[in-house]
Amino acid sequence: MVAVNMDGASSRGRPLRSGVQPALARGFGAVPPPVLVLLGVISLQVGAAFAKQLFALAGASGVVTLRLLFAALVLVVVWRPSLRLDRTTLLVVVGYGSVLAGMNICLYQAIDRIPLGVAVTIEFLGPLGVAVFGSKRKLDLLWAVLAGLGVLLLSRVDGGLDLVGVGFALAAAVLWASYILVGAKLGSRTSGGSGLALGMAVGALVALPFGISGAGAQLLSPAVLVAGLVVALMSSVVPYSLELEALRRMPPRVFGVLMSLEPAVAALAGLLVLHEALGVLQWVAIGCVVLASIGATRST
């Protein structure tokens, strides 16, 4: 078993552990898991829209690196995780952090090339795939077809989509599916936010070479650092903490389909924050994916 514990029994001289952590645990426990997921979705997508505005200053890789670095710092300070991990738990933490970094790097490369709502709609095939392929109901195949139709409609927009951006979004989808499955294992082997803090630190180390090569000394600009902290809180600390707690209290398949509003929220965030107006066909495509997820939820 993992040696990390959040009960405060061995926290003498650590008021942060005995004060903040139980309060967070009580707060999370009082909120229904579906509400945790939806709050995480809103924070994540508004944060992603804000992050895209920073690409001109530090590039997509630089922004991802700052996001993960600051998120790891905040989570480690709050949760004070122990490094005494058994071999299996250590492998889960490393796997979680690596998947987390890859997922965010691919998504940010995608939204640098295609609209936020479109990128997240394609990426959403990951959790939807977890829901559909984890089901034995034949009806869920219909929802998979509907989601595929939505992506097909997205590919037929006027002027077409940047194929590299679509490729990054598809890669992010695969990694998002992996994140759900590995995240469930992380939640079962760690307590509180200790596993998330360690996983985020691993993710930051994985992303660091990409950020340095992409942004260089610009990463140390005061304006970029402040903006990176805001992105980290909105796009990592808040949503991943909420999602990890929700994963502890629901099966991965149910978690995936409860995020059915993710593409629509991303499209709205892109419209309101980035002024990325989508055409009618694009909204229909997003609606197909959302309906597919709602249908899978109803049949679960």
Side-chain angles (χ1 to χ4, degrees), residues 168-248:
F168 275 117
L170 288 172
V174 174
L175 290 166
W176 193 359
S178 302
Y179 162 77
I180 293 173
L181 300 176
V182 178
K185 292 183 178 296
L186 182 72
S188 67
R189 299 195 65 88
T190 61
S191 58
S194 59
L196 174 62
L198 293 173
M200 193 69 70
V202 171
L205 292 176
V206 172
L208 188 58
F210 297 94
I212 293 176
S213 63
Q218 190 64 24
L219 289 175
L220 301 179
S221 168
V224 172
L225 288 173
V226 172
L229 176 59
V230 175
V231 171
L233 293 174
M234 295 184 65
S235 296
S236 291
V237 176
V238 172
Y240 291 139
S241 296
L242 296 177
E243 289 174 8
L244 186 60
E245 179 61 25
L247 276 167
R248 285 195 174 96

Side-chain angles (χ1 to χ4, degrees), residues 3-23 77-82 84:
V4 180
N5 72 82
M6 314 306 297
D7 57 11
S10 60
S11 60
R12 183 173 298 177
R14 288 184 171 182
L16 184 61
R17 181 182 290 253
S18 61
V20 174
Q21 293 170 357
V77 169
V78 170
W79 293 108
R80 305 286 291 277
S82 171
R84 293 179 297 166

Side-chain angles (χ1 to χ4, degrees), residues 62-80:
V63 175
V64 168
T65 300
L66 287 178
R67 167 183 166 180
L68 295 179
L69 282 172
F70 278 121
L73 178 62
V74 171
L75 290 170
V76 167
V77 169
V78 170
W79 293 108
R80 305 286 291 277

